[in-house]
Amino acid sequence: MTVDDEILISKAVNALKNSYAPYSKIHVAASVLGSNGKVYTGVNVENSSYGLTICAERSAIVQMVSDGERNPVKIAVVTDLEDPIPPCGACRQFIAEFNPDVEIILYSASTGKMLKTRLSELFPNPFKL
Ligand code: THU
């Protein structure tokens, strides 16, 4: 694991407690390393109108763009489930807007299981205008 990986994972692990998931009880946090060297975190935010739920990855990307950074170089997605989870389809498209080949680390905070991949592997043909 590189220093970047450790920092990204630990920031997402710290943010997990802020996940708002009273309906699914699935807590997810994501952290994004921007090309400016800053790390942006986000969590899933659910709603009683279920379809309005925002995933952790999109929360983190919104934080990044709101800060004026548009180039994610690495993303960590963390849960407390036994196995790491990959970004959902909507998040893949959302991330691809900014870097279709971004590195992705998937991590379980409960078991320490980790997988490394790239968005281009998970989502080879993003819709692009
Ligand atoms: N979730 C994420 O935050 N990211 C994903 O990529 C997959 C799903 C959240 C949304 C919802 O709050 C919970 O996980 C269960 O679907």
Side-chain angles (χ1 to χ4, degrees), residues 24 26 28 44 46 53 55-57 86-88:
S24 76
I26 293 174
V28 188
N44 56 330
E46 297 187 346
T53 292
C55 294
E57 298 91 321
C88 76

Side-chain angles (χ1 to χ4, degrees), residues 73-112:
V73 296
K74 206 180 276 205
I75 299 182
V77 183
V78 171
T79 61
D80 45 18
L81 298 173
E82 193 180 327
D83 290 312
I85 59 152
C88 76
C91 288
R92 294 177 195 200
Q93 176 67 33
F94 201 83
I95 299 164
E97 179 77 17
F98 299 101
N99 182 356
D101 193 33
V102 69
E103 283 185 65
I104 301 185
I105 303 164
L106 309 174
Y107 183 77
S108 160
S110 62
T111 61

Side-chain angles (χ1 to χ4, degrees), residues 5-115:
D5 294 353
E6 279 180 32
I7 290 170
L8 275 184
I9 289 171
S10 74
K11 291 206 175 197
V13 169
N14 282 337
L16 255 191
K17 62 180 180 309
N18 300 327
S19 155
Y20 180 71
Y23 306 106
S24 76
K25 314 259 196 285
I26 293 174
H27 301 281
V28 188
S31 51
V32 180
L33 175 65
S35 62
N36 59 4
K38 288 168 92 172
V39 176
Y40 302 93
T41 60
V43 296
N44 56 330
V45 181
E46 297 187 346
N47 191 274
S48 56
S49 176
Y50 294 171
L52 297 181
T53 292
I54 298 174
C55 294
E57 298 91 321
R58 278 177 284 156
S59 296
I61 292 282
V62 166
Q63 292 289 322
M64 181 196 77
V65 175
S66 301
D67 190 51
E69 171 60 54
R70 295 181 180 174
N71 188 19
V73 296
K74 206 180 276 205
I75 299 182
V77 183
V78 171
T79 61
D80 45 18
L81 298 173
E82 193 180 327
D83 290 312
I85 59 152
C88 76
C91 288
R92 294 177 195 200
Q93 176 67 33
F94 201 83
I95 299 164
E97 179 77 17
F98 299 101
N99 182 356
D101 193 33
V102 69
E103 283 185 65
I104 301 185
I105 303 164
L106 309 174
Y107 183 77
S108 160
S110 62
T111 61
K113 285 187 197 170
M114 185 178 77
L115 293 169

